Amino acid sequence: PKDTKPSTQPSGGRPSPFTAAAEHPVTASLVVEHTGILPGGRTRIGVRFVLKEGWHIYAEEPGDAGLPTRVAWSLSDGLRAGDLVWPPHEQFVDPGNIRTFGYDSEVVLWSLLTADTDLEPGGTLPLHAEVEWLACRDVCIPGSAILRGELPVVGEPAPPSGDASRFPRAA
């Protein structure tokens, strides 16, 4: 992912709680539940975040501090994404006894993807997500990524993808 490199010394000479890192502690990737989609069909699309040990990102409601993780879908004509689904979060106590809510280790934030009924099998549909997050441990590092993929339009039900198990069983 592309990470931002903010200044570690804001104006006024005070140290910033934000810092740059040589290697970002979070990776983000696009995942889909099925290897294709039928015209009029549905599948799940998500962003998988993998975090280095000790780091966390924030939930939709981050708590006393932090910033919510953001996923903005940009899809081709013929596809619609539902609201982002946030799995149950954990509570963290950040320095200064600040209570925050988010995720560590790994999480998939996902949406239900619906295809129009008039799509023609044989083509592919581009998938695009702009993602932003704030990763924190003893410092906080903002990160962002532009994720791209494709989803084939198929004429018969598509098998699960290699990432299907990353989505919750009952959605």
Side-chain angles (χ1 to χ4, degrees), residues 106-127:
E106 180 178 336
V107 66
V108 174
L109 302 180
W110 61 273
S111 295
L112 184 62
L113 192 64
T114 304
D116 287 350
T117 57
D118 61 352
L119 291 176
E120 291 292 324
T124 58
L125 301 169
L127 307 173

Side-chain angles (χ1 to χ4, degrees), residues 42-115:
R42 301 185 326 175
T43 191
R44 291 180 280 185
I45 181 175
V47 175
R48 176 183 179 216
F49 296 90
V50 178
L51 292 79
K52 289 186 178 178
E53 188 174 339
W55 291 87
H56 62 269
I57 59 174
Y58 293 95
E60 182 177 26
E61 296 295 330
D64 295 337
L67 296 171
T69 300
R70 188 180 75 79
V71 175
W73 301 115
S74 178
L75 304 169
S76 66
D77 289 341
L79 288 177
R80 291 177 312 285
D83 292 338
L84 198 62
V85 176
W86 298 80
H89 57 263
E90 296 181 45
Q91 178 175 287
F92 301 97
V93 179
D94 293 336
N97 202 29
I98 297 171
R99 297 195 185 285
T100 60
F101 307 108
Y103 309 96
D104 63 6
S105 184
E106 180 178 336
V107 66
V108 174
L109 302 180
W110 61 273
S111 295
L112 184 62
L113 192 64
T114 304

